[in-house]
Amino acid sequence: MDIVNHAATGQLRSDLSLVLRENEKNISHKIEQVLSEADHWKFATDEFYCPVPYHNELNKLKKGRLLKNINESDRFSKQNLFSFGFDRSDQLRLMQNMIGKEVRLGVNTKLYEYGPSDETTYYVARHYPGKDFPDKLISTGRFKKLDEATKIDMVVGSDGNWSVTYYTYDPGTDRIIKATRYALGWNGQTEYDFVYEHADLSRIMVGEVVWWKSK
């Protein structure tokens, strides 16, 4: 599949560019609204919860470990503390972590909105709780079902950069068998094959190279 020139890629890129423009000026209000809807929090040493499947594995990001005995009031107490806010329905609504060693330097913030058919729209922003600087919307993304065997995840940045991932599912199951990815500036698209042992994902391959392996 040529995902770069696929009609769904162009349409979603256009849709997200519009969403980005529409929310650049009201991102502060959106952040405050989502914060007000956070009913309870969970904490980790790095990124942990994400509605986009295998986000950490495909991007070679370290997956955090959950932390206990952290109070909501302490979530900006140190740099490597990731906070995940959930609403009353236990849906993930936002993730935050400090950019530097002081909260005045900004907080990485990712907001999540949920639509029909498990569609998820998310916003990545730099938030300044103390109002030292204006909040800034960095990018927006969407994860959605394309057809019975395909889901698509795309991110469009305020700087014009964009990336897209097509997930191919085993028919009739929720098992991903392939991810095809492209980012602006890449020399073509890259395919990632998912290899399972029994019911568990064993490794992700790029050609003959092991991209990720289960511990």
Side-chain angles (χ1 to χ4, degrees):
M1 179 192 296
D2 179 4
I3 66 170
V4 179
N5 297 303
H6 196 291
T9 300
Q11 183 61 59
L12 188 52
R13 183 182 172 193
S14 177
D15 292 346
L16 288 174
S17 296
L18 179 60
V19 171
L20 191 69
R21 292 194 299 270
E22 290 177 340
N23 287 277
E24 281 179 326
K25 293 184 178 179
N26 72 337
I27 188 60
S28 294
H29 174 74
K30 186 176 288 289
I31 291 171
E32 295 302 328
Q33 179 64 36
V34 174
L35 281 169
S36 72
E37 296 171 0
D39 177 72
H40 55 282
W41 295 85
K42 297 180 183 180
F43 307 94
T45 57
D46 215 309
E47 292 211 31
F48 192 88
Y49 299 102
C50 182
V52 179
Y54 299 108
H55 171 77
N56 287 24
E57 291 83 353
L58 288 173
N59 290 289
K60 288 197 170 181
L61 298 176
K62 180 181 177 182
K63 187 170 184 178
R65 57 182 177 83
L66 289 175
L67 297 171
K68 298 181 179 179
N69 303 319
I70 304 291
N71 296 319
E72 180 182 343
S73 58
D74 296 328
R75 59 195 192 87
F76 297 141
S77 60
K78 55 184 178 180
Q79 187 174 2
N80 296 319
L81 176 60
F82 287 69
S83 306
F84 302 87
F86 296 80
D87 63 19
R88 291 184 179 181
S89 300
D90 207 31
Q91 279 192 316
L92 177 66
R93 297 303 311 280
L94 77 157
M95 182 279 287
Q96 290 188 309
N97 70 291
M98 285 198 304
I99 294 170
K101 295 183 179 180
E102 300 178 36
V103 70
R104 69 177 184 84
L105 299 177
V107 175
N108 287 319
T109 299
K110 185 178 285 188
L111 310 177
Y112 296 98
E113 294 178 346
Y114 300 93
S117 302
D118 296 325
E119 179 178 296
T120 303
T121 300
Y122 50 95
Y123 306 83
V124 178
R126 182 166 294 178
H127 174 48
Y128 297 92
K131 309 301 180 185
D132 301 276
F133 304 96
D135 293 335
K136 181 180 180 181
L137 180 59
I138 297 172
S139 63
T140 186
R142 182 168 292 161
F143 175 62
K144 60 178 291 184
K145 180 179 179 179
L146 189 61
D147 55 45
E148 290 303 319
T150 313
K151 292 184 180 179
I152 181 173
D153 177 54
M154 174 173 275
V155 180
V156 173
S158 59
D159 58 1
N161 285 323
W162 61 277
S163 62
V164 65
T165 302
Y166 278 67
Y167 293 92
T168 303
Y169 288 75
D170 187 23
T173 74
D174 60 356
R175 177 180 287 189
I176 297 169
I177 56 176
K178 184 186 294 291
T180 307
R181 312 183 80 201
Y182 174 80
L184 186 65
W186 284 16
N187 184 23
Q189 62 191 40
T190 302
E191 292 189 351
Y192 304 76
D193 293 304
F194 287 60
V195 180
Y196 294 83
E197 290 185 2
H198 306 294
D200 300 320
L201 180 63
S202 170
R203 57 195 182 276
I204 299 174
M205 305 291 295
V206 178
E208 298 299 321
V209 177
V210 177
W211 181 260
W212 174 88
K213 186 177 181 180
S214 177
K215 293 182 179 180

